[in-house]
Amino acid sequence: MEQKVLQYFILILFARAQEEYKIHSGPPPHTHPISLHPTSTGSSPMSRLCPAGCATCSALNGCLSCKPRLFFHLELDGMRQRGTCLSTCPRGHYGMRSRHISTCTRCKEDCASCFSEHFCTHCHLGHFLFRGKCENSCPNGLTANAALRECTECSVGCEVCVRRNMCVRCRAGLYFLHGQCHLTCPRGFEPDVQFLQCVPQVHCQVGEWTDWGPCVRKRSMRAYRRGEETRTRQVLQSPSLHGDPCPHVSEIRKCVIKKRPKSPNML
């Protein structure tokens, strides 16, 4: 921290020396100098030209000091570093406050973002967050979550999870359902052995019966006026492997063949 403050004051002295040199040596061709000396109103034209949040600034080096509660941050501008004043530090930095100056300090190399020097909040690709540190691998009993880049404690039987009660892949021999892993599928579901998941059981559905068909005499029937009539119904939904099977879709009953009325020509 002392090194950071020292660096900050060196930057201020260097910037002021450059500005004084420009003022006393005169402006280069086609330029207009900005006075750093206070005007009669007690304010400096330079202070009115500072970026938002700056208490003092330099044309070459940006902000030199910040207004209260803001963080001083050095950012690259080509080959030069320029000072800025921010309410929150950018990603990859954390805020440090002191009596002299509040600064943005870079996180450790393996941290994508951090709360403090020793506490990471997000990790770079290939690292996993565990108790505030970014590790190359997770300890036993925890899953390396590549999506969140953190070590996650999964539920029993879960191989990969996004959080403890939300599994995305089960261990061998278990079936996946609603973020959980099951040895046998619960009531109303059946196992899909190809995708190792529980799927809803599908029961057979049939439509309404048709009207009875005409009474037809078969040759095998000895009675002269005896016959059979049939009605059917359609299968609307075929059952799954463990679903309720379809009932019969046709019925036959015996009937009496009605005597045809005699034609007038036969009278």
Side-chain angles (χ1 to χ4, degrees), residues 136-157:
N136 294 325
S137 60
C138 295
N140 291 335
L142 299 181
T143 297
N145 190 322
L148 298 178
R149 300 178 188 175
E150 64 181 29
C151 297
T152 307
E153 184 180 3
C154 298
S155 56
V156 177

Side-chain angles (χ1 to χ4, degrees), residues 92 106-113 117 120 122-124 127 134:
R106 185 177 295 278
C107 300
K108 289 184 176 180
E109 187 175 351
D110 52 1
C111 290
S113 61
E117 180 182 3
C120 298
H122 292 89
C123 300
H124 290 298
H127 291 78
C134 292

Side-chain angles (χ1 to χ4, degrees), residues 40 46 107 114 163 193 226 233:
S40 57
M46 191 62 187
C107 300
C114 58
R163 54 182 184 270
V193 294
R226 294 287 180 180
R233 55 183 173 181

Side-chain angles (χ1 to χ4, degrees), residues 71 88-90 93-97 102-105 114-116:
F71 293 98
T88 57
C89 293
H93 297 75
Y94 64 94
M96 286 191 64
R97 298 191 183 276
S102 298
T103 59
C104 291
T105 305
C114 58
F115 178 75
S116 64

Side-chain angles (χ1 to χ4, degrees), residues 15-218:
R16 286 180 176 173
Q18 286 183 311
E19 294 295 340
E20 290 293 331
Y21 173 79
K22 290 176 65 179
I23 291 172
H24 290 94
S25 61
H30 310 295
T31 61
H32 300 280
I34 299 175
S35 174
L36 294 181
H37 300 291
T39 61
S40 57
T41 59
S43 62
S44 167
M46 191 62 187
S47 64
R48 291 195 298 269
L49 295 174
C50 287
C54 294
T56 58
C57 64
S58 160
L60 291 177
N61 297 284
C63 296
L64 300 177
S65 61
C66 299
K67 293 179 180 179
R69 307 301 300 172
L70 297 181
F71 293 98
F72 179 79
H73 174 60
L74 286 175
E75 58 184 22
L76 283 177
D77 182 12
M79 297 297 293
R80 180 183 295 132
Q81 284 187 325
R82 291 182 62 85
T84 57
C85 294
L86 307 171
S87 57
T88 57
C89 293
R91 185 176 176 86
H93 297 75
Y94 64 94
M96 286 191 64
R97 298 191 183 276
S98 69
R99 292 182 303 167
H100 305 290
I101 182 175
S102 298
T103 59
C104 291
T105 305
R106 185 177 295 278
C107 300
K108 289 184 176 180
E109 187 175 351
D110 52 1
C111 290
S113 61
C114 58
F115 178 75
S116 64
E117 180 182 3
H118 302 291
F119 197 96
C120 298
T121 54
H122 292 89
C123 300
H124 290 298
L125 186 65
H127 291 78
F128 306 97
L129 185 66
F130 177 65
R131 295 180 179 177
K133 295 184 179 181
C134 292
E135 308 287 355
N136 294 325
S137 60
C138 295
N140 291 335
L142 299 181
T143 297
N145 190 322
L148 298 178
R149 300 178 188 175
E150 64 181 29
C151 297
T152 307
E153 184 180 3
C154 298
S155 56
V156 177
C158 182
E159 188 172 37
V160 178
C161 62
V162 295
R163 54 182 184 270
R164 177 169 176 78
N165 294 321
M166 184 53 66
C167 187
V168 293
R169 189 172 68 213
C170 297
R171 299 187 187 277
L174 300 178
Y175 298 97
F176 176 83
L177 175 65
H178 300 157
Q180 301 294 321
C181 299
H182 301 266
L183 184 60
T184 58
C185 293
R187 184 179 179 86
F189 294 86
E190 62 184 61
D192 183 332
V193 294
Q194 181 179 0
F195 296 103
L196 296 177
Q197 60 183 355
C198 296
V199 296
Q201 286 183 345
V202 178
H203 305 297
C204 180
Q205 297 181 20
V206 295
E208 299 293 332
W209 287 107
T210 62
D211 294 333
W212 288 102
C215 189
V216 179
R217 182 178 178 275
K218 291 189 175 182

Side-chain angles (χ1 to χ4, degrees), residues 211-219 221 223-231 251-260:
D211 294 333
W212 288 102
C215 189
V216 179
R217 182 178 178 275
K218 291 189 175 182
R219 293 180 180 179
M221 301 184 71
Y224 173 67
R225 294 180 60 189
R226 294 287 180 180
E228 291 179 345
E229 56 187 5
T230 305
R231 68 174 183 177
E251 287 184 343
I252 299 174
R253 69 179 183 181
K254 296 185 181 304
C255 59
V256 176
I257 301 175
K258 294 181 179 180
K259 190 175 182 181
R260 297 180 180 180

